[in-house]
Amino acid sequence: MNYENPFDRLVSELGKDERLTLLEKLSTASLPSETENIEAPDKAETSDLNYDIQTKLKNESVLLRFWLFLKSIFTGMNQRVIYNDLLISRKSKILAKNFPDIYDMKKNSLLTGFFVELKNLHQAADFYKPGIASYEESPGEAYVFLGSLFLSDLYEKIEKETSPYSVDFSRSPNQELRNSLIRKMDDLLSGISVTERQNLYQNVQSLEWLKQFVKLPFEKFLSRFTSFNHSDFLCPLDNVSTELNHFVKVLCYSKKITPEVLETLYMLTGGFSNKKNEPKNTDIDNIRDPAKEFHEQCLDSILKINGFIKNVPVKTLAAVASKDADWVMPNPAGIEDWFVKFKAQWRKQFDRKWESWLVDRKKSEIRLVCEKVFGEVKLPLIGNR
């Protein structure tokens, strides 16, 4: 019955009780659990971005609209273009006033404050890279492990009713038997309630959000800054309009990082395996708790993410960099095929168990023959020549 694969190393290493114990530890580490929440950007930051330029113009005073009309006549410029430039100038002034260490209006540039926050954000992303790299290799495996933290009873039922090892070796391993087990497994997976599926989906979204986060162009963005005395940094806003849009697309659609997502990342980085392989330490003062250390590092990275979101008006900066008062915040990528991958991973797991069961069934048949012929229950050993 020995079948070794990445899925089994991820899921079968921990029993149900061990998973729950680890989950509790990750949920109650030293820092407050509410810091696990990644804050959404302040909606008031760019509330006027919800209106198109024509609507904004109608809400302006009669005097301003008359001034725009006159200026368009004398300059030959389109009234919309003049008003667009006025709106962008307004936003620039507000940015410079409210965030003097982030943005300089006269130079139209990002300053040292932005550079420091961006470096902290980069450090936060680096922490998640190993786990996300494993997640990208096989997202289905991650989804199945994540599901084991919410649907433990269902998983036990699937193992009991659909595993080939639930079938006696005396049964013929025909296609009908195989198909009946697969149909039963599909029925059980399709029977997951709407609430349970939504809960799992929200956690899958968190994993996917972290994947998008670690892929942000940090190095490229940081390389745009120049320094004249190794302490003050400057970056023309026009040079990073594309990068700012990438950051808005991720940071303005942040997701909550739950203890279940933390445990999945912990397993993906090999945290439990590393703990098992550590030499025993008899020095009580120096005993390490990898799960606690992982959780504290994770919370530190989340604090850095929240620090960037709180201190950097990334949406307004992206709008100003676009030079378009009708700038619209880009939508994030979806992940609507997650349940297909979830079920496909279960099918792969079944296929591996089926092949393993066929091998063990054959061994059982040979064992019975040997018992009759040699009077031995165990297979005879062949010595080395």
Side-chain angles (χ1 to χ4, degrees):
M1 296 186 186
N2 295 325
Y3 46 94
E4 192 69 21
N5 55 77
F7 174 82
D8 297 314
R9 289 196 297 272
L10 192 63
V11 179
S12 300
E13 266 188 335
L14 287 175
K16 178 180 178 181
D17 292 339
E18 289 176 301
R19 285 199 299 270
L20 294 176
T21 300
L22 178 57
L23 183 63
E24 181 180 358
K25 184 177 292 185
L26 289 171
S27 303
T28 58
S30 59
L31 295 178
S33 60
E34 52 267 22
T35 59
E36 292 166 8
N37 297 329
I38 295 179
E39 301 169 359
D42 186 359
K43 293 182 180 180
E45 178 196 328
T46 52
S47 58
D48 62 328
L49 293 177
N50 298 324
Y51 303 98
D52 62 74
I53 194 169
Q54 294 298 331
T55 303
K56 296 171 187 174
L57 182 57
K58 291 178 181 178
N59 292 329
E60 296 288 359
S61 66
V62 175
L63 183 61
L64 177 61
R65 280 181 285 169
F66 181 67
W67 177 82
L68 291 172
F69 172 73
L70 289 178
K71 187 170 183 178
S72 67
I73 292 177
F74 288 109
T75 61
M77 296 175 61
N78 184 284
Q79 187 173 339
R80 186 189 184 284
V81 174
I82 299 173
Y83 184 55
N84 178 84
D85 292 343
L86 176 63
L87 292 177
I88 296 300
S89 177
R90 283 179 180 175
K91 293 182 188 300
S92 298
K93 290 178 181 178
I94 294 173
L95 277 174
K97 179 181 178 180
N98 295 338
F99 303 92
D101 60 331
I102 298 290
Y103 176 74
D104 186 320
M105 180 182 175
K106 292 181 179 179
K107 298 178 181 179
N108 192 33
S109 297
L110 300 175
L111 303 177
T112 304
F114 187 98
F115 181 81
V116 172
E117 292 290 349
L118 186 60
K119 284 195 69 175
N120 289 336
L121 195 66
H122 190 194
Q123 292 173 0
D126 284 344
F127 169 74
Y128 292 109
K129 280 185 177 179
I132 294 302
S134 298
Y135 163 63
E136 287 190 279
E137 288 179 6
S138 184
E141 291 180 359
Y143 300 157
V144 171
F145 177 77
L146 187 58
S148 71
L149 305 175
F150 298 100
L151 309 168
S152 57
D153 292 339
L154 173 65
Y155 279 37
E156 290 177 0
K157 190 173 183 179
I158 290 175
E159 178 65 24
K160 181 179 179 181
E161 299 183 12
T162 71
S163 172
Y165 286 98
S166 65
V167 179
D168 193 89
F169 284 148
S170 62
R171 289 281 299 275
S172 174
N174 53 42
Q175 191 63 34
E176 181 182 353
L177 173 62
R178 175 183 168 84
N179 290 341
S180 66
L181 293 174
I182 292 175
R183 283 196 299 270
K184 179 64 175 176
M185 182 180 67
D186 286 341
D187 290 342
L188 289 172
L189 292 174
S190 298
I192 298 175
S193 70
V194 175
T195 302
E196 290 172 329
R197 185 179 299 198
Q198 181 64 23
N199 193 17
L200 183 55
Y201 175 57
Q202 289 173 351
N203 284 270
V204 168
Q205 283 183 310
S206 295
L207 276 175
E208 190 65 18
W209 182 86
L210 285 171
K211 185 185 83 170
Q212 299 300 326
F213 172 61
V214 302
K215 286 187 172 183
L216 286 172
F218 291 100
E219 290 85 358
K220 185 177 181 181
F221 205 151
L222 289 168
S223 68
R224 302 286 193 185
F225 282 83
T226 56
S227 174
F228 303 99
N229 55 10
H230 302 290
S231 60
D232 294 328
F233 295 86
L234 193 72
C235 173
L237 192 63
D238 293 341
N239 293 352
V240 289
S241 178
T242 301
E243 287 77 9
L244 282 169
N245 273 318
H246 287 308
F247 277 73
V248 167
K249 194 173 182 179
V250 175
L251 296 177
C252 294
Y253 295 95
S254 56
K255 304 295 180 183
K256 179 181 180 181
I257 308 302
T258 65
E260 290 79 11
V261 171
L262 291 184
E263 181 170 345
T264 301
L265 288 172
Y266 180 71
M267 294 298 294
L268 287 169
T269 54
F272 185 73
S273 298
N274 293 338
K275 182 178 180 180
K276 293 198 304 181
N277 295 330
E278 279 186 351
K280 291 185 178 180
N281 191 341
T282 56
D283 186 354
I284 297 179
D285 294 332
N286 294 322
I287 291 178
R288 294 177 60 251
D289 188 339
K292 184 177 179 180
E293 289 180 5
F294 177 86
H295 186 259
E296 291 177 348
Q297 291 171 357
C298 186
L299 292 179
D300 179 65
S301 69
I302 291 176
L303 289 173
K304 290 176 179 176
I305 297 172
N306 280 335
F308 185 93
I309 292 175
K310 180 180 179 180
N311 299 325
V312 178
V314 64
K315 286 193 295 184
T316 306
L317 286 169
V320 172
S322 72
K323 298 182 179 179
D324 184 1
D326 275 340
W327 176 87
V328 177
M329 192 166 66
N331 293 320
I335 182 170
E336 304 310 320
D337 63 341
W338 74 274
F339 198 69
V340 174
K341 294 178 180 178
F342 177 72
K343 294 181 70 173
Q345 183 59 41
W346 273 106
R347 177 62 181 270
K348 289 179 183 179
Q349 171 68 2
F350 175 86
D351 290 342
R352 288 193 290 259
K353 283 189 176 182
W354 178 262
E355 293 301 321
S356 178
W357 182 76
L358 291 178
V359 172
D360 288 341
R361 182 181 180 278
K362 189 66 176 179
K363 289 179 182 179
S364 178
E365 289 180 343
I366 296 174
R367 186 180 294 108
L368 291 175
V369 172
C370 291
E371 185 178 358
K372 290 180 180 180
V373 176
F374 301 104
E376 295 277 349
V377 176
K378 296 182 178 180
L379 293 177
L381 301 176
I382 300 177
N384 295 326
R385 293 183 178 180

